[in-house]
Amino acid sequence: MDSLQEVCEKVLALINPSKEEVDKVGRLVEALKAKALEEALKLGLEADPQVYGSFAKGTWLSGEADIDLFLRVPAHITRQEMAQKSLKIGEAVVEALGGHWIKRFAEHPYVEGWVDGIRVNIVPCFRVERGFWLSAADRSPFHTEYVMARLKEDGKSQVRLLKRFMKGIGVYGADIKTGGFSGYLCELLILRYGGFKEVLEAARSWRRGFIIDLEGYYKGRESDARKIFPEPLIVVDPVDERRNVASAVSLHRLGEFMAAAGLFLDRPSMRFFYPPPRIPLALDDFSSALSKRGTCWILILFAPLEVVPDVLWGQMYSSLRAISKFLRNQGFNVLREAAWSDEGRLNAFLLELDSRTLPKAKLHLGPPITSKESNAFLTKYLKNEDTISGPWIHGNRWVVLLKRRRIDAVEMLREVFKTKDIGIRSKIAEAMNRHLEILVDGEIAKAYSRSEGLATFLMDFLIGRPPWLWEG
Amino acid sequence: MDSLQEVCEKVLALINPSKEEVDKVGRLVEALKAKALEEALKLGLEADPQVYGSFAKGTWLSGEADIDLFLRVPAHITRQEMAQKSLKIGEAVVEALGGHWIKRFAEHPYVEGWVDGIRVNIVPCFRVERGFWLSAADRSPFHTEYVMARLKEDGKSQVRLLKRFMKGIGVYGADIKTGGFSGYLCELLILRYGGFKEVLEAARSWRRGFIIDLEGYYKGRESDARKIFPEPLIVVDPVDERRNVASAVSLHRLGEFMAAAGLFLDRPSMRFFYPPPRIPLALDDFSSALSKRGTCWILILFAPLEVVPDVLWGQMYSSLRAISKFLRNQGFNVLREAAWSDEGRLNAFLLELDSRTLPKAKLHLGPPITSKESNAFLTKYLKNEDTISGPWIHGNRWVVLLKRRRIDAVEMLREVFKTKDIGIRSKIAEAMNRHLEILVDGEIAKAYSRSEGLATFLMDFLIGRPPWLWEG
């Protein structure tokens, strides 16, 4: 076993950019800024092109440079003018440098381009005083300034290590799909604890509602902070005390990070930074593993949605929770559920139940014996073809043993998907109207070979264990 | 439908003893007292034979006279002398009047005899001042005196109606098996509310912890009374403020009484006083009804116990609860359970589950990810032949999907009955060691014809509905 220091050194050799790479990206940055200024002048937009984000702060990973070019416009410009003109500038800049681009949507539309294999986001924002935010992107210059003023040279490597670790264990990214840690959050964690190892050590003893408040805005008022920020981890933004930098971090991802931190400190390994790829089993082996489990798998496949990833994943997760809740309310024991999408052609929900069918009978709790509803209950169930036994009295309530009319989870799902009035979100419901397949247990083999991404997802679910979890 | 008054009149004609019956029992009482005094003198015991209880108070039901002959001895007599001599007196008295007797046990042994078809209990007690009780029976003279001084002639009929109603719906008797209402309690209820109908009307709106306190001992201190008496119904004894006359009444019986009271007031019927006998189905019909239910019945038959009924039923109920709890802890859904005994030859537990088997897999919740036990948990389950999937993280805890080694309720019961260390009480465990049979579903037909009492019990369980519940 390598020591922690040895592992970190190996990783740093892979992620710290070489002088050549820094120079190359630097030259591109200068060209982008110059061209953007030129285009802004052409359009008569008083824009100040600046690069913020990980490139400016020197915390990007080798091979993964991401240039965030901000077009900072005066606050008196209208949103419409800002949006339209910055889109035109972005398109022209990328094309002039021989790249290609697509239009993306966040709060405003913006340009995501690729130039020489490097991703470039060209994003408009307003030049405002701190606290007088007009758009979400207005904070970025302040974030960059805050970090640059405080992060030393070694700190940058420490941020890189933390980012790579988080990427390796799958908790990096504040997008809806991931629900994890942003780059800025990594930087603040390093500023708070001093280094990568120290962040991991601290994370071992975080508790739900843990507060990191670099500027002490909530000093002595921690309970106020917990009321304002309901999220499991609270990192108060040094440039905006009303914002939780960790608001995207889900309880699940927080838990994975904390657990991985502890395991890595106990047994350092490259696996945490670079997880071994999960190689799907041959179809026969997969089928045989599935049939041996003794549980029930339900795979719901449906048509793609024409929406940006954050909307897709927001609707996916929320609809999956609704389906799971529906099954639980019916009496099923849902062991696990997961969503998958290739963000283009195919979407899937996967649910594992301990049994496909419910017992044929169930207790039905009636009203308190002294309540006004007693008579209606007795009238209903004394002569009811679904009554198996009773009514009798248990404690102070009537109880009756009833026949369950429907006991098959798949049948119930097929039926409920006709109306989808159980909380399936609109875009998902539309997609299901276009195409919907429900496969159970052995039938899932049919879909296994349809897409490598889907096969990997099914394998992940089969194993159910994060790849960074040690094997012995 | 008869009116309430009509029904009550019909019942009263059946339960109010005729003059001939009163005279006959009265003559027996005089003979018993005279003979008891004679025997006491012979033994040199200063005993004052008196009849208390329902005969003295005139609240007994025609055909069900019960004579409670108390031998009241001075407080300076030792318990041993009192017990030995009163037994001898009891035996001699019953034999002299041509009856037969057996020795019974309560706080002391006493004689239960039958003379001319009338049951006679000959019980010793101490002559004490109120409050200075030396034995449980010492309160009886005071109870009788209290009721006799207050209950008018019409009140006696009202008590009889209430007793017959309670017998009809199966809630009469403060013994452990019944867990219901004593005769004295019926008398106090009539004193409190004035009449049979008024008691039923009041009972409709009783709540758990309802207090009846004729002498106002706890006036303004009702919460004290609820602390002292944890039982669902509190009726403070007018002759002893530290005693709850309703302490035997279980929540279940209280609920049955309240529900039956409401239904009877809404639709008066003789059925509440004289339930139609439940006629067991033919074996084939029973078997077919059982197999159509879709649930699982487990009938546990075991050898008789050589104990008095209160000990028998105390151990029966407590052991049945333990078995039920064991199955629930294993993951089974126990729908109902019931105990049966003929108090002589055969005892039975009956459990109904919604399924005989558990699913083959179960989620096992591990320790919080940040706890010290995490490593032990991971070491145990990462390479475990029972691990189907995981461990993964859910919320802040480790979870793993495990194979269940044992899934059959009957097998698990057979195994656990070998040691019985799940809370099976000592006498039941001994009886099971002598003879134990576990029958499931179709096998239960074998026992159905073995005893009419058992068949009726199985029928009651099959129907699951009290006989007084209206049918339409």
Side-chain angles (χ1 to χ4, degrees):
Chain A
M1 194 174 74
D2 288 345
S3 73
L4 188 136
Q5 203 188 332
E6 284 163 347
V7 171
C8 290
E9 277 165 13
K10 280 189 200 169
V11 174
L12 280 173
L14 294 164
I15 60 176
N16 273 342
S18 64
K19 188 167 180 317
E20 291 72 37
E21 191 177 2
V22 175
D23 288 348
K24 179 189 161 194
V25 180
R27 282 192 299 275
L28 176 58
V29 164
E30 290 312 315
L32 285 165
K33 281 162 71 173
K35 189 68 194 165
L37 191 57
E38 190 187 316
E39 293 295 325
L41 287 171
K42 265 194 216 166
L43 290 173
L45 182 72
E46 189 194 335
D48 167 26
Q50 289 293 347
V51 168
Y52 304 115
S54 64
F55 177 78
K57 294 178 278 192
T59 57
W60 52 289
L61 307 190
S62 171
E64 301 178 22
D66 238 16
I67 299 173
D68 295 322
L69 180 68
F70 283 77
L71 304 174
R72 218 174 174 195
V73 306
H76 63 79
I77 304 269
T78 65
R79 289 181 163 249
Q80 201 189 11
E81 184 183 353
M82 174 187 88
Q84 286 174 346
K85 290 189 172 168
S86 65
L87 267 181
K88 284 192 186 159
I89 296 169
E91 297 165 19
V93 166
V94 174
E95 285 175 9
L97 294 173
H100 63 279
W101 58 270
I102 60 170
K103 197 163 128 187
R104 288 275 192 202
F105 295 83
E107 194 180 345
H108 315 292
Y110 67 93
V111 165
E112 178 180 288
W114 287 266
V115 181
D116 282 347
I118 294 170
R119 191 164 67 161
V120 181
N121 297 309
I122 301 173
V123 180
C125 71
F126 292 105
R127 180 191 305 279
V128 294
E129 302 239 347
R130 206 187 100 175
F132 296 88
W133 320 117
L134 293 175
S135 78
D138 301 352
R139 287 185 195 84
S140 292
F142 295 89
H143 290 163
T144 301
E145 190 187 313
Y146 185 88
V147 173
M148 284 175 75
R150 287 163 181 81
L151 195 65
K152 310 245 160 26
E153 202 50 41
D154 175 60
K156 296 177 184 175
S157 295
Q158 298 297 309
V159 170
R160 288 196 183 96
L161 275 175
L162 183 57
K163 283 185 179 179
R164 184 65 249 167
F165 182 84
M166 287 189 170
K167 286 183 182 207
I169 63 168
V171 304
Y172 186 80
D175 54 295
I176 303 285
K177 178 186 179 182
T178 309
F181 296 70
S182 68
Y184 178 48
L185 178 50
C186 289
E187 290 151 2
L188 294 182
L189 289 175
I190 295 295
L191 286 180
R192 167 68 182 80
Y193 293 108
F196 168 64
K197 188 182 156 204
E198 288 75 16
V199 171
L200 301 196
E201 273 164 359
R204 291 185 101 157
S205 55
W206 286 347
R207 290 281 173 273
R208 197 190 282 211
F210 189 82
I211 300 172
I212 292 170
D213 183 10
L214 285 156
E215 295 298 314
Y217 293 125
Y218 293 91
K219 200 167 176 182
R221 303 191 295 126
E222 283 77 9
S223 62
D224 286 357
R226 288 198 184 90
K227 267 177 221 156
I228 299 167
F229 307 116
E231 295 91 2
L233 178 63
I234 301 165
V235 180
V236 183
D237 192 343
V239 313
D240 182 353
E241 77 271 20
R242 285 169 304 177
R243 185 170 170 267
N244 176 11
V245 182
S247 66
V249 179
S250 67
L251 186 63
H252 181 72
R253 294 294 179 226
L254 179 63
E256 290 189 325
F257 174 62
M258 290 166 64
L263 291 173
F264 173 76
L265 289 171
D266 290 344
R267 296 180 161 226
S269 156
M270 291 292 280
R271 191 176 52 238
F272 290 86
F273 298 90
Y274 299 99
R278 184 148 281 167
I279 297 152
L281 288 171
L283 177 59
D284 282 355
D285 296 335
F286 172 78
S287 295
S288 126
L290 188 52
S291 72
K292 264 191 287 186
R293 283 170 91 83
T295 61
C296 168
W297 281 31
I298 302 175
L299 181 67
I300 302 163
L301 298 169
F302 53 98
L305 284 65
E306 304 259 315
V307 294
V308 301
D310 273 359
V311 173
L312 169 73
W313 287 103
Q315 295 219 347
M316 291 280 281
Y317 288 150
S318 144
S319 303
L320 177 59
R321 272 196 306 274
I323 293 170
S324 200
K325 190 177 165 195
F326 164 75
L327 289 173
R328 286 195 174 98
N329 286 345
Q330 299 299 315
F332 291 98
N333 190 9
V334 181
L335 302 171
R336 277 191 301 165
E337 66 269 302
W340 175 84
S341 172
D342 59 11
E343 299 185 6
R345 290 183 305 153
L346 192 61
N347 298 311
F349 292 143
L350 179 57
L351 297 130
E352 181 164 33
L353 315 187
D354 66 2
S355 171
R356 176 178 170 164
T357 54
L358 293 172
K360 288 177 194 148
K362 68 164 173 182
L363 286 184
H364 175 64
L365 200 62
I369 47 166
T370 52
S371 80
K372 297 228 183 309
E373 291 74 39
S374 267
N375 275 346
F377 178 85
L378 293 174
T379 306
K380 179 167 180 190
Y381 290 109
L382 274 171
K383 295 234 166 180
N384 191 307
E385 58 185 33
D386 288 344
T387 297
I388 297 175
S389 217
W392 67 85
I393 291 164
H394 185 82
N396 68 336
R397 302 186 78 148
W398 288 106
V399 182
V400 64
L401 185 64
L402 293 181
K403 189 173 97 186
R404 271 204 178 87
R405 297 208 150 223
R406 299 180 310 167
I407 60 167
D408 183 272
V410 178
E411 264 177 37
M412 284 159 79
L413 283 179
R414 279 192 214 286
E415 193 162 313
V416 90
F417 283 153
K418 283 178 197 154
T419 58
K420 303 175 198 70
D421 55 358
I422 54 164
I424 308 267
R425 300 283 292 276
S426 60
K427 300 282 179 190
I428 305 280
E430 280 170 38
M432 286 183 165
N433 283 343
R434 289 198 299 278
H435 178 75
L436 175 67
E437 251 176 296
I438 304 182
L439 305 177
V440 197
D441 293 336
E443 299 163 7
I444 292 172
K446 284 196 264 175
Y448 188 74
S449 318
R450 213 177 287 179
S451 138
E452 205 186 312
L454 184 60
T456 306
F457 166 70
L458 292 170
M459 277 300 300
D460 279 344
F461 200 83
L462 191 77
I463 294 166
R465 181 163 54 232
W468 43 265
L469 208 53
W470 84 76
E471 297 287 329
Chain B
M1 194 174 76
D2 288 343
S3 73
L4 188 133
Q5 205 189 331
E6 284 165 347
V7 170
C8 290
E9 278 165 13
K10 280 190 201 170
V11 174
L12 280 173
L14 293 165
I15 59 176
N16 274 340
S18 64
K19 184 163 183 318
E20 291 71 39
E21 193 177 0
V22 175
D23 288 347
K24 180 189 163 195
V25 180
R27 280 193 299 274
L28 178 56
V29 163
E30 290 314 314
L32 286 165
K33 281 162 70 172
K35 190 69 194 164
L37 191 59
E38 188 187 319
E39 293 296 324
L41 286 171
K42 265 194 216 164
L43 290 172
L45 183 70
E46 188 191 336
D48 167 26
Q50 290 292 346
V51 168
Y52 303 115
S54 63
F55 178 78
K57 293 177 280 190
T59 57
W60 51 288
L61 306 190
S62 170
E64 300 179 22
D66 239 15
I67 300 173
D68 295 323
L69 179 69
F70 284 77
L71 303 174
R72 219 174 174 196
V73 306
H76 64 77
I77 304 270
T78 65
R79 290 180 162 248
Q80 199 188 11
E81 185 184 351
M82 174 186 86
Q84 286 173 347
K85 290 189 173 168
S86 64
L87 267 181
K88 283 193 188 159
I89 295 169
E91 298 165 16
V93 166
V94 174
E95 286 175 6
L97 294 173
H100 62 279
W101 58 270
I102 58 170
K103 197 162 131 188
R104 290 275 191 200
F105 294 85
E107 194 181 345
H108 313 290
Y110 67 95
V111 165
E112 177 179 290
W114 287 267
V115 179
D116 281 345
I118 295 171
R119 192 164 64 161
V120 181
N121 296 311
I122 301 172
V123 181
C125 72
F126 291 104
R127 178 192 306 277
V128 295
E129 303 239 346
R130 208 185 100 178
F132 295 88
W133 320 117
L134 293 176
S135 78
D138 300 352
R139 288 185 195 83
S140 293
F142 295 89
H143 291 162
T144 300
E145 188 186 318
Y146 186 87
V147 173
M148 284 175 76
R150 287 162 183 78
L151 196 66
K152 310 243 160 26
E153 204 49 40
D154 176 61
K156 294 178 186 174
S157 294
Q158 299 296 310
V159 169
R160 288 197 185 97
L161 276 175
L162 183 57
K163 283 186 181 178
R164 183 67 249 167
F165 182 85
M166 288 188 169
K167 286 186 183 205
I169 63 169
V171 304
Y172 185 80
D175 55 294
I176 303 284
K177 178 186 179 184
T178 309
F181 296 69
S182 66
Y184 179 49
L185 178 49
C186 289
E187 290 152 1
L188 294 182
L189 289 175
I190 295 297
L191 287 180
R192 167 69 183 78
Y193 293 108
F196 168 63
K197 188 181 157 206
E198 289 73 17
V199 170
L200 300 196
E201 273 164 358
R204 290 184 102 159
S205 55
W206 286 347
R207 290 280 172 274
R208 198 191 282 211
F210 189 82
I211 300 174
I212 292 170
D213 184 9
L214 285 157
E215 295 297 314
Y217 293 125
Y218 294 91
K219 200 168 178 181
R221 303 192 295 126
E222 283 76 10
S223 61
D224 286 358
R226 289 200 183 87
K227 267 178 222 153
I228 298 168
F229 306 117
E231 295 91 3
L233 178 64
I234 301 165
V235 180
V236 183
D237 192 342
V239 312
D240 182 353
E241 76 272 19
R242 286 169 302 177
R243 186 170 169 265
N244 176 11
V245 182
S247 66
V249 179
S250 68
L251 186 63
H252 183 72
R253 293 295 179 223
L254 178 63
E256 289 189 325
F257 175 63
M258 291 165 64
L263 292 173
F264 173 75
L265 289 172
D266 290 345
R267 298 182 160 226
S269 158
M270 290 293 280
R271 192 175 50 241
F272 290 86
F273 298 90
Y274 299 99
R278 186 149 277 168
I279 297 151
L281 289 171
L283 178 59
D284 282 356
D285 297 335
F286 171 79
S287 294
S288 126
L290 188 54
S291 72
K292 264 192 285 186
R293 285 170 90 85
T295 61
C296 168
W297 280 29
I298 302 175
L299 180 67
I300 302 163
L301 298 169
F302 52 97
L305 284 65
E306 306 259 315
V307 294
V308 299
D310 273 359
V311 173
L312 169 72
W313 288 102
Q315 295 219 346
M316 291 281 280
Y317 288 149
S318 145
S319 302
L320 177 60
R321 275 197 303 276
I323 293 169
S324 199
K325 189 175 166 199
F326 164 76
L327 288 173
R328 286 196 173 95
N329 286 345
Q330 299 299 314
F332 290 98
N333 190 9
V334 181
L335 302 171
R336 276 190 301 165
E337 67 269 304
W340 175 84
S341 173
D342 59 12
E343 301 186 4
R345 288 183 308 153
L346 192 59
N347 299 311
F349 292 143
L350 179 57
L351 298 130
E352 182 164 31
L353 315 187
D354 67 1
S355 172
R356 176 177 171 166
T357 54
L358 294 172
K360 287 179 193 146
K362 67 165 175 183
L363 287 184
H364 175 64
L365 200 62
I369 48 167
T370 52
S371 79
K372 297 227 185 312
E373 291 73 38
S374 266
N375 276 347
F377 177 84
L378 293 173
T379 307
K380 179 167 179 189
Y381 289 109
L382 274 171
K383 296 234 164 183
N384 190 308
E385 58 183 34
D386 287 344
T387 297
I388 297 174
S389 217
W392 67 85
I393 291 164
H394 185 81
N396 69 336
R397 302 186 77 148
W398 288 106
V399 183
V400 65
L401 184 64
L402 293 183
K403 189 171 98 185
R404 271 206 178 87
R405 299 211 148 219
R406 298 179 310 166
I407 61 167
D408 183 273
V410 179
E411 264 176 37
M412 283 158 80
L413 283 179
R414 279 193 213 288
E415 193 163 312
V416 91
F417 282 153
K418 281 178 198 154
T419 59
K420 304 177 197 69
D421 54 0
I422 55 164
I424 308 266
R425 300 281 293 277
S426 60
K427 300 283 179 187
I428 305 280
E430 280 170 37
M432 287 182 163
N433 282 344
R434 288 199 299 277
H435 177 76
L436 175 67
E437 250 176 297
I438 304 182
L439 304 177
V440 198
D441 293 337
E443 298 164 7
I444 291 172
K446 285 196 265 176
Y448 188 74
S449 319
R450 211 177 288 177
S451 135
E452 206 187 312
L454 184 59
T456 305
F457 166 71
L458 293 170
M459 279 300 299
D460 280 343
F461 200 84
L462 192 76
I463 294 167
R465 181 163 55 234
W468 45 266
L469 208 51
W470 86 74
E471 297 287 330

